[in-house]
Amino acid sequence: MNVHFILCFSYSMSKREQILEAGIRLFVERGLQGTSMSLLAKEANVATGSVYNYFESKEQLINEIFLYVKKREAEFLLEHYHSQDSYEQRFKELYRSTIQFMLDNCLYFRFSHLYGLSPVIEDKTRDQLLHVFEPFIKLYQEAYDQGIIRVNTIPDTHIQIYGGFSYFMHWQYLNNQSIDESLVEQMVEFAWAAIKNWNH
């Protein structure tokens, strides 16, 4: 069974969410310089003044979008996280869910890939992610303390693994390639092997 890139949110959105979602589409398709606040308002089907009621500038907006996307990702990961499972099971499910989120939410994934390392994302924005992803940071720390994994550069280690997933998935997207379940499992096993303490 092939798994394709899709975007599948169909709930009723608030005006603020309409603006955020429109911003994701435009920043991915047109870039930062090619997206004006007036164009954003048109895409979101709101008045330009409404955009400024929520966001003072395009820079503030893109930082809010970054948090919005990453919070959605964290919520998805937590839905599939079972604290009673073994460390190996939890890590593998974390990686599997990370890949699945990328597959299921193509625009969110592409936004994160394009802007995740951009200087437009402020340090204070990145600092907020430490709280958002706190359960998984604790997972790394606990596993290291128990000798299950051999790395203690937290959260850098997860960022390295996430970056590997992201660039591979982006390459697949650009080349219009589908990703089947066996390839997902190969990626998961590779990530687990990269951090596992083989002496444990």
Side-chain angles (χ1 to χ4, degrees), residues 66 70 73-74 76-78 81 87 90-102 112 117 129-130 132-141 144 149-167 187-188 190-192 194-196:
F66 186 67
K70 301 309 286 186
E73 181 180 348
F76 182 87
L77 298 180
L78 283 170
Y81 182 75
Y87 283 110
R90 279 184 277 171
F91 274 105
K92 287 184 177 180
E93 193 54 49
L94 171 60
Y95 298 145
R96 194 175 291 114
S97 296
T98 297
I99 296 168
Q100 193 62 54
F101 183 83
M102 292 176 175
S112 293
L117 299 178
L129 294 182
L130 296 176
V132 172
F133 288 93
E134 184 177 7
F136 309 112
I137 294 172
K138 287 183 176 179
L139 171 62
Y140 274 92
Q141 187 61 59
Y144 176 74
I149 63 175
R150 57 186 173 83
V151 292
N152 64 345
T153 50
I154 305 166
D156 293 352
T157 299
H158 184 71
I159 293 173
Q160 292 169 16
I161 292 171
Y162 184 94
F165 290 165
S166 180
Y167 275 94
M187 295 165 68
V188 169
F190 184 84
W192 171 245
I195 66 168
K196 179 181 177 182

Side-chain angles (χ1 to χ4, degrees), residues 155-190:
D156 293 352
T157 299
H158 184 71
I159 293 173
Q160 292 169 16
I161 292 171
Y162 184 94
F165 290 165
S166 180
Y167 275 94
F168 180 76
M169 302 283 275
H170 188 64
W171 183 88
Q172 295 289 103
Y173 172 80
L174 291 178
N175 289 278
N176 197 29
Q177 300 291 316
S178 59
I179 297 178
D180 61 25
E181 293 176 358
S182 65
L183 183 54
V184 171
E185 289 307 309
Q186 287 178 34
M187 295 165 68
V188 169
E189 292 295 336
F190 184 84

